[in-house]
Amino acid sequence: SVAGDASSLANFSASFPSDAEGGSSEDTDFISFKAFSNNVPGYTSMTSAGSATAALEPQGNVKLFIPESLANSSKSNYEGTSNGSLFSGLANIGELAQLSDEEASALEKIMGIGTDAAGILGSLGGDSAEVGLQAAGMTTAAANRHILFKGIEYRTFSYQYNIMPRTASESAQMADIIKWFRIQMLPDVNASGSFFTPPNYFEIEYFINGAPADYLHKIKPSVLTDCEVTFGGNGSFGKFKNTGAPSVIAMNLTFQEIQLVTKSDAAAGY
């Protein structure tokens, strides 16, 4: 059983079902969850990338069967500019020779300026310029807009388990596993009682046939952001008669990486 104090968790090891134990069977597919408390970039280190400090002994290792499906979603954020850019407008215009005679004449008449770049920069903008351009068959309405790259999101991974322990002892084992996940994801309070200490982070790895999976994505160090557990279901609260341990358990785990995945990371299998 998982004890309440973190120092006793270093040797905690559990699996569900029991044939996921050890990871040496050629017939075993599972996910390995290891929890750590050492400093790691992007979370408990001032740096945002790189390797963790010398790894301590993991605060336990849990192996669970692979759920029905696994997802890997990457998101890049872009934002379209709402208006055109003077700089892109000038770049589009380039040298005056690239304008048609009609375009150059229209610019001179509407803006009351010469067709040099400095004059255009000084006069573009304002309602009068827009009205004049539109009357001449052109508009300033965002023909030279751009898409701006705004960064990327941290990946998240969710694992949904519907578990029906075969025996009361398996249900007790799941109770320990659930308790372990919750201990790892929650903070403690420092000695003064004024601040939280950061929860542990996880290393997650997929295994197929007892070996690291070649065709599934790798996962960077992650924190557990959500652990939702439901007991009972299928129309009733099922339990084992002798112990009262639940016989139907649903557990949903959501993790978030603490480091961003870049182009080189994707090439490396993340």
Side-chain angles (χ1 to χ4, degrees), residues 48-50 72 74 152 155 217-221 257 259-270:
S48 60
N72 178 20
S74 298
I152 56 180
R155 293 189 302 175
H217 51 275
K218 299 177 183 178
I219 299 176
K220 291 203 168 191
E257 286 180 318
Q259 298 172 4
L260 296 171
V261 173
T262 61
K263 187 191 299 286
S264 58
D265 293 322
Y270 287 92

Side-chain angles (χ1 to χ4, degrees), residues 25-230:
S25 170
E26 293 183 353
D27 300 320
T28 302
D29 303 337
F30 62 92
I31 306 177
S32 170
F33 301 92
K34 291 182 179 180
F36 292 89
S37 60
N38 55 304
N39 291 337
V40 60
Y43 182 45
T44 51
S45 171
M46 291 299 292
T47 58
S48 60
S51 301
T53 59
L56 304 174
E57 285 295 317
Q59 300 297 299
N61 181 14
V62 166
K63 301 180 180 72
L64 298 176
F65 63 91
I66 297 177
E68 180 181 5
S69 62
L70 298 173
N72 178 20
S73 177
S74 298
K75 183 177 180 181
S76 292
N77 295 320
Y78 294 87
E79 181 180 296
T81 57
S82 58
N83 296 300
S85 161
L86 292 179
F87 292 107
S88 63
L90 290 175
N92 288 343
I93 292 173
E95 296 181 2
L96 182 60
Q98 295 178 355
L99 291 173
S100 68
D101 292 341
E102 291 181 355
E103 290 172 330
S105 176
L107 282 174
E108 289 182 2
K109 291 179 181 179
I110 293 165
M111 296 180 180
I113 60 171
T115 51
D116 61 285
I120 295 173
L121 269 175
S123 300
L124 279 178
D127 291 342
S128 59
E130 285 198 59
V131 171
L133 282 174
Q134 188 160 297
M138 297 183 290
T139 73
T140 62
N144 60 338
R145 293 170 64 188
H146 277 72
I147 289 292
L148 302 178
F149 176 63
K150 292 293 187 177
I152 56 180
E153 299 291 339
Y154 291 98
R155 293 189 302 175
T156 60
F157 301 95
S158 294
Y159 306 102
Q160 299 181 349
Y161 290 100
N162 294 308
I163 298 168
M164 300 184 69
R166 294 166 291 189
T167 64
S169 62
E170 278 195 351
S171 183
Q173 182 184 43
M174 273 307 304
D176 277 349
I177 289 172
I178 292 167
K179 186 175 183 181
W180 179 80
F181 275 118
R182 295 187 66 245
I183 289 172
Q184 305 309 316
M185 74 174 293
L186 295 173
D188 212 336
V189 178
N190 71 346
S192 70
S194 300
F195 300 98
F196 289 120
T197 58
N200 291 339
Y201 71 93
F202 290 81
E203 290 185 357
I204 304 170
E205 189 172 9
Y206 301 134
F207 285 79
I208 299 294
N209 296 329
D214 291 328
Y215 295 97
L216 295 175
H217 51 275
K218 299 177 183 178
I219 299 176
K220 291 203 168 191
S222 302
V223 289
L224 178 55
T225 61
D226 191 17
C227 175
E228 180 182 355
V229 181
T230 303

